[in-house]
Amino acid sequence: MQETAQRIGTVAKQSGLPIKTIRYYAELGLLKVSGRTEGGYRLFSNDVFVRLSFIKRAQHLGLTLADIKELLDIYDRGELPCDRVKEKLVQQITAVEQQIQQLQNLKQELQGLLHGRSTITQPSEHTICPILQQRLPGA
């Protein structure tokens, strides 16, 4: 049974992604164009939806398009990229932990500003808002 090639508009409609995004993914090599119509429209095999689902999930987990391309290239060579996926996920966990620490530091700074001295007895012409312009101890 031969599979029917999907036009880019159909892929866009069924995937919920803009045509421009699908074109971009194809240009990056994330999606394989299986041919073109007489009118020049890109055609994709039905596995395009599996790849798009993989791309969306990987992006949701914080992987870059370059990371995703690397994983799909491994898959296209006939291998499962699971070991490389694990490496990428460990890197993402480290990045998330760093972001959490940065956000905790920001939260402490914001709380310090809210609970700190919020008025200046003699505002100068350079004072816009003392709350934001005050320096916290250690900053």
Side-chain angles (χ1 to χ4, degrees), residues 58-101:
Q59 283 183 308
H60 172 75
L61 295 173
L63 299 182
T64 66
L65 292 177
D67 292 335
I68 296 166
K69 170 123 176 57
E70 179 184 340
L71 299 174
L72 288 172
D73 286 347
I74 293 169
Y75 173 77
D76 290 340
R77 290 192 307 259
E79 303 169 35
L80 291 179
C82 297
D83 288 340
R84 194 68 181 118
V85 166
K86 287 178 184 177
E87 291 173 21
K88 297 289 183 185
L89 294 180
V90 167
Q91 291 170 0
Q92 272 305 102
I93 290 169
T94 301
V96 166
E97 288 171 344
Q98 290 172 349
Q99 290 173 334
I100 289 169
Q101 184 60 52

